[in-house]
Amino acid sequence: QVQLVESGGGLVQPGGSLRLSCAASGFTLDDYTIGWFRQVPGKEREGVSCISNSERDTYYADSVRGRFAISRDNAKNTVYLQMNSLKPEDTAVYYCAIDWAGEPPCILFPNEYDHWGQGTQVTVSS
């Protein structure tokens, strides 16, 4: 059974850091494009970052470029999102998702992604 489980969210002060994890089961994560998205109630889901399959292409939304970093640990079948210099506007529920048919370069259109995790809440507040 294909499953994605996000973890690592929480409450952090502005300027702080968090590392989100997206643990996969039922498939080999390295074979596919994985994206991170976020959503605030009442707003559309926003693409944050993606990493393509074995070619390791990555992409970041302008709002997070230079502050966030996406990476894979194939031994753990997990993708990470390291988030630094967090701002209150980064507050959202963060989701990871699989694009089964994705090829490099990866893209951040939610409709291209086929399977989603349950999300993890990130709150940036003093």
Side-chain angles (χ1 to χ4, degrees):
Q1 181 180 359
V2 171
Q3 193 172 15
L4 293 173
V5 178
E6 300 96 333
S7 62
L11 173 64
V12 63
Q13 291 187 344
S17 297
L18 284 174
R19 188 178 76 161
L20 304 184
S21 299
C22 173
S25 59
F27 70 102
T28 301
L29 190 145
D30 189 42
D31 292 340
Y32 302 101
T33 292
I34 302 296
W36 281 99
F37 296 81
R38 64 188 182 187
Q39 191 166 23
V40 174
K43 293 189 176 182
E44 292 186 355
R45 194 163 291 189
E46 174 192 15
V48 175
S49 181
C50 59
I51 184 167
S52 67
N53 54 21
S54 58
E55 293 193 24
R56 300 293 188 270
D57 166 70
T58 60
Y59 180 79
Y60 298 92
D62 290 343
S63 57
V64 307
R65 188 173 292 116
R67 299 189 297 123
F68 290 12
I70 192 169
S71 63
R72 295 179 186 268
D73 184 334
N74 293 334
K76 296 183 178 179
N77 214 30
T78 298
V79 168
Y80 300 101
L81 185 68
Q82 178 68 43
M83 306 188 297
N84 300 324
S85 302
L86 283 162
K87 305 175 182 180
E89 52 263 44
D90 295 318
T91 296
V93 177
Y94 283 71
Y95 301 88
C96 63
I98 310 163
D99 179 359
W100 293 118
E103 295 292 335
C106 64
I107 57 175
L108 285 174
F109 297 135
N111 288 343
E112 294 293 323
Y113 288 76
D114 309 289
H115 190 90
W116 296 77
Q118 84 289 348
T120 185
Q121 175 72 46
V122 171
T123 303
V124 184
S125 175
S126 55

